[in-house]
Amino acid sequence: MQGKCGLFFTSYRGEAQIFQSGFQKLMVGLFMLALLAAPLALNIHETSVMNLVFIAVIGAVALNLLTGVCGQISLGHGAFIGVGAYAAGQCTLNGVPFPLAILTAGLITAMVGMVFGVPSLRLKGIYLAIATLAAQLVLEFVFLHGGALTGGSSGLLLDPPVILGFVFDTEARMYYLLLFFAAAALLMVANIMRSRYGRAFVSIRDYYLSAEIVGVNLFWFKLVAFGVSSFLAGVSGGLWAHYTGYISAEQFNIGLSISYLAMIIIGGMGSVLGSVFGAVFVVLMPEALNAVANSLSAVFPGIAQSLVALREGVFGLVLILFLIFEPEGLVNRWRLVKAYWKLYPFAH
Amino acid sequence: MTVVPTGYASYHNCRIMAYLDVRDVTLTFKGIAALMGVSFTVEQGTIASLIGPNGAGKTSMLNCISGRYTPDGGVSGPCTISLDGENLLSLPAHKRTELGLSRTFQNIALFKGLSVLDNLMVGRHSRMEYGLLASIVYWGRAARQEDRHRRRVEDVIDFLNLSPYRHQHAGRLPYGVQKRVELGRALAAEPKLILLDEPMAGMNLEETEDMARYILDIAEEWGATVLLVEHDMGVVMDISDKVIVLDFGSKLAEGTPDEVQADKNVIAAYLGTEQATFSGR
Ligand SMILES: Nc1ncnc2c1ncn2[C@@H]1O[C@H](COP(=O)(O)OP(=O)(O)OP(=O)(O)O)[C@@H](O)[C@H]1O
Ligand SMILES: [Mg+2]
């Protein structure tokens, strides 16, 4: 929470800003410009990876709000993303305009999430994990056996998003759409976190007995956490479905829930920036593995196949290494590096 | 020593309701009684202390008032706990805060992941009203309210001399400061009644004196009524307007510090240690 040396405020409002110093604002502005210009420099494959990162960022910051900030673990996040995908898909298939479809998907998923969040009033930790795992399994079952609603095992085919007649049918066009949604989701969660809602969530996570004493209605605020988190999960799912143009039940299995948990653990629990780091890391890791495999295949032919087969294993290994050596996530490393440069060259 | 009526009829008919009015509270854990028909009153703007040996039921009584525990009922009829005429027992804990009740805990119960400032801002949770949409947008209504509440919190920070710690994580502060932050969190809620569970426990002499000063000011300048649980008899006898003595879940005595120290039952309960106990530091 410490700003740079010599930073001071003349109003409380200045202190409550997300980006505090002029330097920080400048850096964020430059970064946004770089993001806007990026599709000009990236090839199609790279742009598609960025698009997956944006979708993952929305899902990760959603889960981080629920689990990292409010302390309510969820193993059903993947299924909630699925609910959003099917809901948005059904909307656009029935002629609802795309933006409205995404909003509806968010709201429907929020309601589903709140229903499955009810056990959180009674259950904590591992027991809540089991209850949300049950939600995951129930929803997976519904996805597979939902008849015309979900398309069963053959899934649903969707058209690319259309907004006011403009069709988002290339990677570059999707890039800007997804960038917009990702930035909006991050801003939304960052705002919640500096408001009374965010503080109430943290109070529930840190000491629920005290939370009750300061007047936080535990049940209601846990439900709100489930609702907001699921809303964003639904938006992420709706975007994902329309990006790939195809929904199938296997996409939203327990593996997806676990990879989102991995994102927030690797990136940093309870941190908006950490959610971004985690999403980038988890989406880029398979890409990095492929790159390594390809460059090695000249020397060791056949290594590409075996490395790809090892992917899951490598993923698990990385997660365990993070839990042991960097339990506070990449965002903590980032803070340390920043603190170092702030004092440079006088740091020891 | 005030005469304590014991019969239900005398109790419920002969008294007008006091500011904090606790009547006939009984609480059992799996058949073991922690409180047995305890009644007492606290007048507005005064400091009352609840004392008694370990396990006497002091924390249990605070928990009944704050809503953590629900009393089983009375020995001789229904029990009641009311604050300023409002029945507390019909309200869940978080609603009692809105009514003006606030407390600290025997063991530090801060939000470790939040800064001192945010701990105090959470303390004002029940005084803020903007909704989820306003907080998502964080513009206009939410920003204005945050600003206004921040000013009130700064008053508390000044009062408790917490400004050097404002932006530090609560969990990393020294013990004595954490105790003060917890008092600040309770005070930030603008309580009418503040329950303090052993605020001086584990403090050195200087910190104890500061804390006693704060408690006196809370009653005099902040206009809150204080119900204090404390083992330090010197402090208790010094600053209390009224002392209530519990022993094994029953009330032994209720009265001014002088009356209580002269009470035969109290002396008997503290027998052999009363010299040490009441002599203070
Ligand atoms: N949650 C609980 N479950 C079972 N028994 C309890 C519980 N809380 C309190 N008790 C019992 O009730 C009795 C009173 O406990 P309480 O904590 O109120 O004492 P106290 O006066 O605050 O003591 P101390 O000075 O040690 O804090 C004790 O015998 C205790 O064991
Ligand atoms: Mg106690």
Side-chain angles (χ1 to χ4, degrees):
Chain A
M1 255 319 280
Q2 264 160 348
K4 81 191 211 317
C5 312
L7 183 68
F8 67 94
F9 297 97
T10 49
S11 76
Y12 297 140
R13 210 169 282 195
E15 217 174 40
Q17 285 170 356
I18 298 177
F19 304 113
Q20 296 183 332
S21 68
F23 178 73
Q24 236 181 349
K25 282 179 188 143
L26 180 73
M27 291 317 271
V28 171
L30 287 179
F31 184 68
M32 285 305 282
L33 278 183
L35 276 181
L36 286 174
L40 303 175
L42 299 177
N43 66 31
I44 292 197
H45 174 68
E46 287 158 355
T47 313
S48 76
V49 172
M50 287 299 284
N51 286 343
L52 291 177
V53 167
F54 293 144
I55 292 168
V57 161
I58 303 173
V61 80
L63 183 62
N64 218 341
L65 185 69
L66 179 65
T67 304
V69 178
C70 194
Q72 309 300 303
I73 188 162
S74 170
L75 284 175
H77 200 65
F80 294 153
I81 290 174
V83 171
Y86 283 107
Q90 280 299 343
C91 282
T92 52
L93 284 177
N94 288 295
V96 177
F98 176 75
L100 203 58
I102 293 294
L103 182 68
T104 314
L107 292 176
I108 289 176
T109 315
M111 272 179 325
V112 172
M114 284 166 90
V115 169
F116 284 109
V118 167
S120 68
L121 178 65
R122 294 274 159 160
L123 304 178
K124 292 183 186 64
I126 188 77
Y127 300 100
L128 183 60
I130 302 288
T132 52
L133 178 62
Q136 169 77 34
L137 299 179
V138 167
L139 289 171
E140 269 183 44
F141 182 86
V142 174
F143 296 158
L144 255 183
H145 304 279
L149 206 58
T150 66
S153 53
S154 50
L156 297 177
L157 276 174
L158 304 174
D159 290 328
V162 182
I163 297 179
L164 300 174
F166 186 87
V167 187
F168 292 83
D169 55 357
T170 66
E171 290 289 348
R173 289 177 178 184
M174 276 312 285
Y175 177 95
Y176 290 104
L177 184 73
L178 295 172
L179 172 62
F180 167 79
F181 275 101
L186 292 176
L187 184 66
M188 173 172 160
V189 174
N191 276 342
I192 289 178
M193 281 182 62
R194 59 182 172 148
S195 76
R196 69 188 275 252
Y197 278 81
R199 288 189 299 259
F201 293 156
V202 176
S203 74
I204 292 174
R205 176 194 73 189
D206 278 1
Y207 218 118
Y208 72 97
L209 288 180
S210 298
E212 197 174 49
I213 289 302
V214 298
V216 174
N217 181 344
L218 297 182
F219 186 46
W220 173 243
F221 276 85
K222 282 180 189 174
L223 280 193
V224 171
F226 268 96
V228 175
S229 167
S230 308
F231 176 87
L232 288 174
V235 168
S236 166
L239 293 170
W240 193 21
H242 285 85
Y243 171 61
T244 54
Y246 176 65
I247 312 177
S248 77
E250 306 87 70
Q251 280 173 278
F252 312 109
N253 60 15
I254 180 72
L256 186 65
S257 293
I258 290 173
S259 63
Y260 273 100
L261 277 175
M263 288 182 208
I264 64 172
I265 290 170
I266 290 172
M269 294 278 248
S271 152
V272 173
L273 189 59
S275 318
V276 179
F277 287 158
V280 170
F281 190 96
V282 170
V283 174
L284 289 192
M285 202 173 66
E287 299 296 322
L289 277 184
N290 280 346
V292 170
N294 285 338
S295 58
L296 285 183
S297 62
V299 194
F300 309 103
I303 196 164
Q305 284 83 341
S306 39
L307 256 188
V308 168
L310 278 177
R311 223 175 70 179
E312 304 285 304
V314 173
F315 185 65
L317 184 66
V318 167
L319 190 56
I320 288 172
L321 290 179
F322 260 94
L323 284 171
I324 296 173
F325 295 109
E326 195 78 279
E328 292 183 57
L330 288 169
V331 72
N332 189 44
R333 187 60 36 195
W334 170 254
R335 282 190 204 118
L336 294 178
V337 169
K338 268 204 319 196
Y340 176 80
W341 283 106
K342 196 154 66 183
L343 298 177
Y344 185 83
F346 301 110
H348 344 250
Chain B
M1 179 76 220
T2 45
V3 180
V4 180
T6 47
Y8 172 70
S10 61
Y11 223 80
H12 285 254
N13 301 333
C14 307
R15 259 177 35 193
I16 51 163
M17 227 177 235
Y19 191 67
L20 171 68
D21 200 316
V22 176
R23 292 189 194 181
D24 210 3
V25 168
T26 296
L27 177 73
T28 56
F29 294 105
K30 301 203 177 82
I32 299 165
L35 293 170
M36 280 175 290
V38 176
S39 306
F40 64 91
T41 62
V42 179
E43 297 312 318
Q44 186 166 13
T46 63
I47 300 175
S49 292
L50 203 53
I51 64 169
N54 291 102
K58 306 179 295 293
T59 300
S60 301
M61 177 49 86
L62 294 196
N63 282 338
C64 287
I65 299 173
S66 74
R68 186 73 225 140
Y69 296 158
T70 309
D72 304 338
V75 170
S76 49
C79 72
T80 59
I81 299 179
S82 66
L83 174 64
D84 204 5
E86 305 249 22
N87 179 12
L88 292 183
L89 289 179
S90 60
L91 298 172
H94 63 92
K95 284 266 163 57
R96 297 183 195 195
T97 315
E98 282 170 37
L99 263 189
L101 189 75
S102 173
R103 76 173 284 185
T104 66
F105 291 86
Q106 186 165 354
N107 303 309
I108 287 171
L110 286 174
F111 307 122
K112 290 193 165 52
L114 290 177
S115 66
V116 169
L117 177 63
D118 278 338
N119 265 282
L120 302 201
M121 287 295 276
V122 189
R124 291 196 66 77
H125 180 87
S126 61
R127 302 276 165 254
M128 299 191 189
E129 47 230 8
Y130 65 86
L132 182 61
L133 283 181
S135 94
I136 288 172
V137 181
Y138 205 88
W139 197 271
R141 192 170 152 76
R144 266 199 314 275
Q145 280 197 23
E146 286 286 315
D147 210 48
R148 187 155 54 77
H149 288 282
R150 174 70 193 274
R151 279 164 216 281
R152 306 305 300 266
V153 161
E154 287 295 330
D155 292 341
V156 177
I157 289 179
D158 286 346
F159 170 60
L160 294 176
N161 298 314
L162 286 170
S163 40
Y165 312 104
R166 200 186 271 115
H167 292 297
Q168 296 190 20
H169 274 278
R172 300 195 191 133
L173 296 171
Y175 177 84
V177 180
Q178 293 201 24
K179 280 279 201 194
R180 244 192 293 158
V181 175
E182 216 186 317
L183 179 64
R185 186 179 67 193
L187 205 52
E190 289 178 42
K192 294 200 278 186
L193 173 68
I194 185 166
L195 311 174
L196 305 174
D197 201 348
E198 305 200 12
M200 285 115 173
M203 287 191 157
N204 63 31
L205 188 59
E206 194 188 331
E207 289 170 325
T208 302
E209 279 171 0
D210 284 344
M211 188 56 85
R213 188 74 243 156
Y214 292 138
I215 294 173
L216 282 168
D217 283 348
I218 287 171
E220 279 163 24
E221 283 168 31
W222 294 67
T225 306
V226 180
L227 181 57
L228 172 70
V229 169
E230 186 48 58
H231 280 296
D232 188 325
M233 286 309 140
V235 172
V236 166
M237 296 305 165
D238 250 16
I239 67 173
S240 311
D241 298 299
K242 176 189 252 187
V243 177
I244 300 130
V245 189
L246 289 183
D247 192 22
F248 291 114
S250 304
K251 187 174 80 174
L252 276 190
E254 174 176 358
T256 64
D258 290 338
E259 286 167 345
V260 165
Q261 289 180 71
D263 187 272
K264 274 205 288 296
N265 289 332
V266 177
I267 293 176
Y270 279 93
L271 194 69
T273 60
E274 106 253 24
Q275 222 51 39
T277 328
F278 288 136
S279 61
R281 287 174 189 263

